[in-house]
Amino acid sequence: MKQNTEMMHHHLKYGLAALALSFCAAVWPKAQAENIPDLFLHSGQPLNGAWKSIIDPYDSGFYDYRYSERDFSATPSRAETFYLDVQPADPGERVEYDFDTSPTLEVPGDWNTQRRELLYYEGSVWCRRTFTSPAPANGERAFLRFGAANYRADVYLNGRKLGVHIGGFTPFSFEVTGRLREGTNSLVVRVNNQRSKDGVPTLNTDWWNYGGLTREVTLVRTPAGYIADHRLWLESEATKMIAGWVDIAGGKAGDSVELAISGLDERLTAQTDAKGRANFRFAAPTLQLWSPEQPKLYDVALSCGTDRVSEPVGFRTIRTSGKQILLNGQPVFLRGVCIHGEFPLQGGGRVKNAEEAKQLLLWAKELGCNFVRLAHYPHTEAMTRLADQLGLLVWSEVPVYWTIDWTNAETYANAEQQLTDEIRRDDNRASIIIWSLANETPVSDARTQFLTRLAARARALDSTRLLSAAMEKHSQTNAPNLNIVQDPLADVVDVVAFNQYTGWYDGLPDKCGQVSWEIPYNKPVFISEFGGDARQGLHGDKAQRWTEEFQEDLYRQTLPMLDKIDGLVGFSPWILVDFRSPKRVLPGVQDGFNRKGLISSEGVKKKAFFVLQDYYRKRAEQSPH
Ligand code: GCU
């Protein structure tokens, strides 16, 4: 492409500046992407809004013409290395990009629904935000926190690499103490949402792979010693003993940590150990337990030195007993619905704020739900915190979906990291009762080993919640009406959950009246999906697929079928709202959407919505929870 002489001249003339810059890169090691849960509770400088963006389908900002990563170049080309974010030093200098004059993208938000031409774009997009930041007070630390970025984020500050994060649905941060400039800072993020076989999720999903800085970006400042993480839980609804710990980062052993719970008039102090952890355990005899009927939250305030954070927390217990799930010691029936992290109105796309999250949960409440399955990946912080407030129990899941690369060690590490970050982000949410490890994964030894390891990790991180996974049922050719659940993973999890589509993928709705079940586990049984597509407004005979009447009839026939299942503790039909999926191409019906919603992509309720609402009203009258 280029004459080496031209390259030499270019480097001579402009390489020196690049050399100076890269010299700094060398002395400024990359920060590791971290997940520091309580950064979310510290006040910060929001870096949301309009970010300049460069769409880079050939990734030429990341790879040079020899396809080697520019990150590794000791003298990155000013002309083509986007993360340097430079302007021509003089009229003659060749710089082949310019963030200042580039179009913008809103953050938080996916890029696919912001520009028509990007609807199905998968690849790299460079996003740049400049911001000013006051000089740090003495000893103060600073972090750049991202709520999530799908899928891979390469993050640069002031022309230097901070690090990389992989995984589209969990928070991450980079410490930038001592790296901020007084005056204008340049934050550049290469976001790439290309799917890969070894990814989590992998190549094939029935949802659209929205890309971008999909959740909030914040510059967070903390004192030198700060509250990094904490965990509080109710040991027993009988003793009302509360236990917990607080982790102080950058502190020293013996630091005094105070825990105050207003409404309980509790004010306790504990000292940190050598690892910076302060442990608490105390009785709260007057404690009001959290439940969907009474989602009681207490304001929990933590302080250490000059640092102080607080958040509303509910206290409840959850466990299984035989084929029952006990919430605060009482059997509970989970009146659920599945929800994707997508909001149908205002242009659609990934849920980008608390208002959209709230609307989805209010629709679930209107349906009569006390439970939501947040599919198939960790949803926003706002979603789980609103579930605490609104009194909705939650199933939270990592995107270990369909045919993951089970024998690939990096794929396992990626899945485990996402699970770890999910649990560490939300382990104080009273609403979350189930961590789901996977969805519809084909039974094999490699798969079961992978998921059994993941289960052990989840239990090590959190022994106070239940584990499950959306498994599958099958039937034998000689007994098509006998639905069997036989999965070694069912021995590992606490709740035996499976997806079943009798009447949609398996026969017609009338089949519901003919089936029987074989589920040989002395554990609670939960139906994690059922349903069928209907185009809202398409009406006809109930035998006519894709009509509202067909979907309505399917629900009418499915509910009594499920009621017959021994050990049934609830279900979550697929799905609350129609959602975008490139797998769904039927013209005039699907048009790129999975239409199994009870509410259309225009926010209009379908007939089946009212069938389920009626059923849940009756169920609610029958049981206390
Ligand atoms: C599967 C899967 C969902 C999918 C649904 C469907 O069970 O878990 O992600 O969208 O079925 O086929 O509509």
Side-chain angles (χ1 to χ4, degrees):
M1 170 173 114
K2 293 192 184 94
Q3 313 309 321
N4 284 348
T5 42
E6 187 208 317
M7 177 69 100
M8 285 306 297
H9 164 65
H10 175 88
H11 272 313
L12 272 178
K13 182 160 182 199
Y14 297 109
L16 291 173
L19 189 61
L21 266 174
S22 59
F23 173 75
C24 304
V27 297
W28 200 10
K30 281 190 206 129
Q32 192 48 47
E34 300 173 284
N35 174 17
I36 307 171
D38 286 353
L39 285 183
F40 181 77
L41 300 178
H42 285 79
S43 62
Q45 180 183 347
L47 298 178
N48 304 320
W51 287 51
K52 294 291 185 178
S53 60
I54 298 175
I55 313 303
D56 188 11
Y58 278 16
D59 239 341
S60 46
F62 194 68
Y63 298 102
D64 66 17
Y65 80 117
R66 291 281 181 252
Y67 219 69
S68 48
E69 280 189 36
R70 295 182 187 280
D71 280 4
F72 301 133
S73 161
T75 56
S77 144
R78 282 170 52 85
E80 296 145 9
T81 310
F82 300 169
Y83 73 74
L84 293 175
D85 188 13
V86 298
Q87 292 292 324
D90 59 51
E93 185 182 12
R94 176 181 65 85
V95 175
E96 298 210 29
Y97 68 92
D98 180 359
F99 278 113
D100 291 355
T101 53
S102 294
T104 61
L105 283 171
E106 276 304 306
V107 171
D110 61 80
W111 59 63
N112 307 86
T113 52
Q114 294 193 47
R115 281 191 229 151
R116 218 169 151 72
E117 70 276 17
L118 295 178
L119 182 58
Y120 280 144
Y121 178 72
E122 291 181 296
S124 286
V125 173
W126 294 80
C127 304
R128 193 261 345 235
R129 175 79 155 74
T130 57
F131 62 93
T132 56
S133 81
N138 57 4
E140 194 179 50
R141 299 172 71 168
F143 302 83
L144 280 171
R145 182 185 185 275
F146 296 80
N150 193 49
Y151 175 74
R152 173 180 165 140
D154 291 81
V155 182
Y156 308 82
L157 180 66
N158 298 330
R160 291 166 195 128
K161 183 90 182 232
L162 287 179
V164 183
H165 181 265
I166 287 180
F169 304 99
T170 47
F172 58 97
S173 59
F174 296 99
E175 175 150 16
V176 291
T177 310
R179 302 181 185 190
L180 293 169
R181 276 193 204 132
E182 270 192 55
T184 304
N185 290 272
S186 157
L187 174 58
V188 173
V189 186
R190 167 192 177 257
V191 187
N192 182 291
N193 70 334
Q194 255 143 344
R195 287 166 289 125
S196 63
K197 180 175 175 311
D198 61 0
V200 180
T202 182
L203 292 165
N204 189 16
T205 65
D206 188 25
W207 73 80
W208 175 230
N209 175 35
Y210 293 104
L213 295 172
T214 52
R215 297 180 192 167
E216 304 205 339
V217 183
T218 318
L219 177 65
V220 178
R221 293 171 184 276
T222 71
Y226 67 95
I227 299 163
D229 194 2
H230 73 283
R231 178 87 174 83
L232 283 172
W233 66 94
L234 181 65
E235 287 182 342
S236 139
E237 72 275 359
T239 65
K240 298 242 172 116
M241 288 300 289
I242 293 179
W245 47 261
V246 179
D247 280 351
I248 305 298
K252 60 190 182 318
D255 279 347
S256 180
V257 179
E258 188 186 77
L259 163 67
I261 305 185
S262 63
L264 275 183
D265 299 335
E266 287 290 352
R267 191 172 287 280
L268 306 115
T269 304
Q271 273 56 49
T272 54
D273 59 21
K275 291 204 182 93
R277 175 165 290 188
N279 291 296
F280 293 88
R281 190 163 181 275
F282 56 97
T286 63
L287 181 77
Q288 198 185 322
L289 302 180
W290 183 96
S291 69
E293 296 72 32
Q294 292 180 313
K296 172 67 182 171
L297 298 175
Y298 288 89
D299 186 52
V300 170
L302 304 170
S303 54
C304 178
T306 57
D307 199 25
R308 194 185 180 299
V309 297
S310 69
E311 66 167 350
V313 174
F315 297 93
R316 53 101 192 96
T317 61
I318 192 79
R319 60 181 177 276
T320 62
S321 164
K323 294 194 172 193
Q324 292 184 318
I325 293 181
L326 304 181
L327 174 66
N328 298 329
Q330 298 293 318
V332 62
F333 186 88
L334 305 177
R335 306 188 307 270
V337 72
C338 293
I339 303 180
H340 252 302
E342 182 179 305
F343 189 67
L345 310 180
Q346 284 116 32
R350 280 275 166 254
V351 168
K352 48 189 171 295
N353 55 44
E355 292 67 44
E356 295 181 352
K358 192 165 189 178
Q359 179 57 69
L360 292 171
L361 295 179
L362 289 177
W363 275 330
K365 293 280 286 185
E366 196 183 337
L367 193 53
C369 294
N370 63 358
F371 178 89
V372 289
R373 176 186 174 200
L374 303 182
H376 293 292
Y377 36 76
H379 287 214
T380 64
E381 279 102 343
M383 198 70 164
T384 51
R385 287 175 183 275
L386 282 162
D388 274 9
Q389 285 169 29
L390 293 171
L392 282 164
L393 297 160
V394 168
W395 159 307
S396 184
E397 185 165 291
V398 280
V400 176
Y401 181 94
W402 289 349
T403 48
I404 292 285
D405 195 354
W406 306 111
T407 56
N408 182 321
E410 276 186 24
T411 301
Y412 177 78
N414 179 350
E416 189 182 273
Q417 187 63 50
Q418 294 192 41
L419 177 81
T420 303
D421 292 341
E422 171 197 35
I423 294 178
R424 294 191 63 222
R425 188 195 81 174
D426 280 352
D427 53 10
N428 287 307
R429 301 283 69 76
S431 55
I432 300 184
I433 57 169
I434 296 176
W435 301 118
S436 167
L437 305 170
N439 180 74
E440 290 190 350
T441 50
V443 176
S444 73
D445 292 351
R447 166 263 193 187
T448 304
Q449 275 160 27
F450 185 111
L451 295 178
T452 303
R453 270 181 81 193
L454 218 47
R457 175 66 177 162
R459 293 202 194 281
L461 286 163
D462 178 15
S463 59
T464 70
R465 288 184 175 82
L466 308 177
L467 291 189
S468 190
M471 297 177 270
E472 296 179 289
K473 57 109 181 158
H474 67 277
S475 39
Q476 274 133 9
T477 34
N478 60 359
N481 291 345
L482 175 60
N483 285 335
I484 302 167
V485 178
Q486 196 74 52
D487 187 330
L489 188 62
D491 298 320
V492 174
V493 296
D494 304 303
V495 177
V496 174
F498 59 93
N499 300 347
Q500 74 83 44
Y501 282 92
T502 306
W504 182 257
Y505 293 124
D506 172 13
L508 289 168
D510 293 351
K511 181 172 180 176
C512 293
Q514 297 144 28
V515 301
S516 55
W517 302 87
E518 189 181 298
I519 310 168
Y521 304 97
N522 182 26
K523 293 182 178 182
V525 174
F526 181 81
I527 311 301
S528 36
E529 287 181 34
F530 69 83
D533 288 58
R535 180 70 190 232
Q536 188 275 322
L538 186 61
H539 293 288
D541 185 85
K542 65 182 174 66
Q544 180 59 50
R545 245 179 224 267
W546 315 109
T547 61
E548 288 195 41
E549 287 71 20
F550 185 103
Q551 189 191 45
E552 180 186 34
D553 180 49
L554 177 60
Y555 272 71
R556 279 197 200 295
Q557 303 221 42
T558 299
L559 296 169
M561 170 189 73
L562 299 180
D563 280 343
K564 292 194 206 100
I565 295 177
D566 175 38
L568 182 75
V569 291
F571 40 69
S572 54
W574 192 258
I575 184 164
L576 180 66
V577 184
D578 292 354
F579 61 95
R580 195 175 282 286
S581 168
K583 295 171 71 68
R584 308 297 172 169
V585 296
L586 191 59
V589 174
Q590 295 176 321
D591 297 324
F593 281 81
N594 182 311
R595 299 287 182 191
K596 292 188 180 68
L598 293 166
I599 297 174
S600 74
S601 50
E602 288 76 37
V604 182
K605 298 181 180 74
K606 304 176 191 178
K607 283 186 168 185
F609 180 100
F610 303 102
V611 173
L612 186 62
Q613 186 187 51
D614 188 49
Y615 173 90
Y616 279 164
R617 192 168 32 73
K618 293 191 183 102
R619 267 276 176 191
E621 282 154 13
Q622 283 160 16
S623 70
H625 279 309

